[in-house]
Amino acid sequence: MSSTTHPGTSPSTAPRRDLAQIGLAAVTAVVGAYTIYDASTLQVGFADPVGPRLFPYAIGTGLLVTSALLVVAALRGDLPEAEGGEDVDLDARADWATVAKLVGIVGLTIATVGFLGWAISGAILFAGSTWALGSRTLVRDVIVGVVLSVLSWYAFYVGLGIPLSAGILDGIL
């Protein structure tokens, strides 16, 4: 049985290649190439010197360069340093119950935002997320959720001019 090694190295000192990095580089390259292709299909008038294509071209090029550098680093055997974690138990299993609660809260928000409006659905999202993540102060969480959702509704609607759904509070907000 033979093994391939680099000249001057033994099998135990051959660089390890992280396939996850190469996979990430491939996905990044695909996204960058699609971004550049999509930017090339934009219809631009002749009077706009910079145009809407500049930023997609820059982002796509940056993604392609990043993916090429990541492939080079992975093939050289550069491995990222393992996360030590300050107060994270790396051997602990995932808490799928918390993930399921958060997915349920986000799903409920998506399902109700059209009817209830952002002010109510956002309050449910904020308060429900804190509950799912372990908070036991329901009254405070609901008050903070209502304040955050109403303030964000006004920030988008009045400040940015982006209309969010008022839902059943239409005419009140």
Side-chain angles (χ1 to χ4, degrees), residues 67-166:
S67 66
L69 292 173
L70 187 56
V71 166
V72 169
L75 293 178
R76 286 181 46 200
D78 292 342
L79 296 173
E81 184 176 332
E83 175 69 33
E86 289 182 25
D87 54 351
V88 177
D89 184 8
L90 297 176
D91 297 324
R93 300 184 63 163
D95 184 7
W96 292 109
T98 301
V99 173
K101 289 177 190 176
L102 288 170
V103 167
I105 294 295
V106 170
L108 179 69
T109 303
I110 292 169
T112 61
V113 73
F115 172 69
L116 295 178
W118 172 249
I120 296 173
S121 292
I124 293 170
L125 174 68
F126 294 131
S129 296
T130 59
W131 164 76
L133 293 172
S135 176
R136 299 294 171 240
T137 55
L138 181 64
V139 174
R140 181 189 67 194
D141 297 340
V142 169
I143 291 170
V144 170
V146 168
V147 169
L148 284 174
S149 64
V150 170
L151 286 177
S152 63
W153 187 87
Y154 276 110
F156 274 87
Y157 196 81
V158 176
L160 298 174
I162 300 172
L164 296 178
S165 172

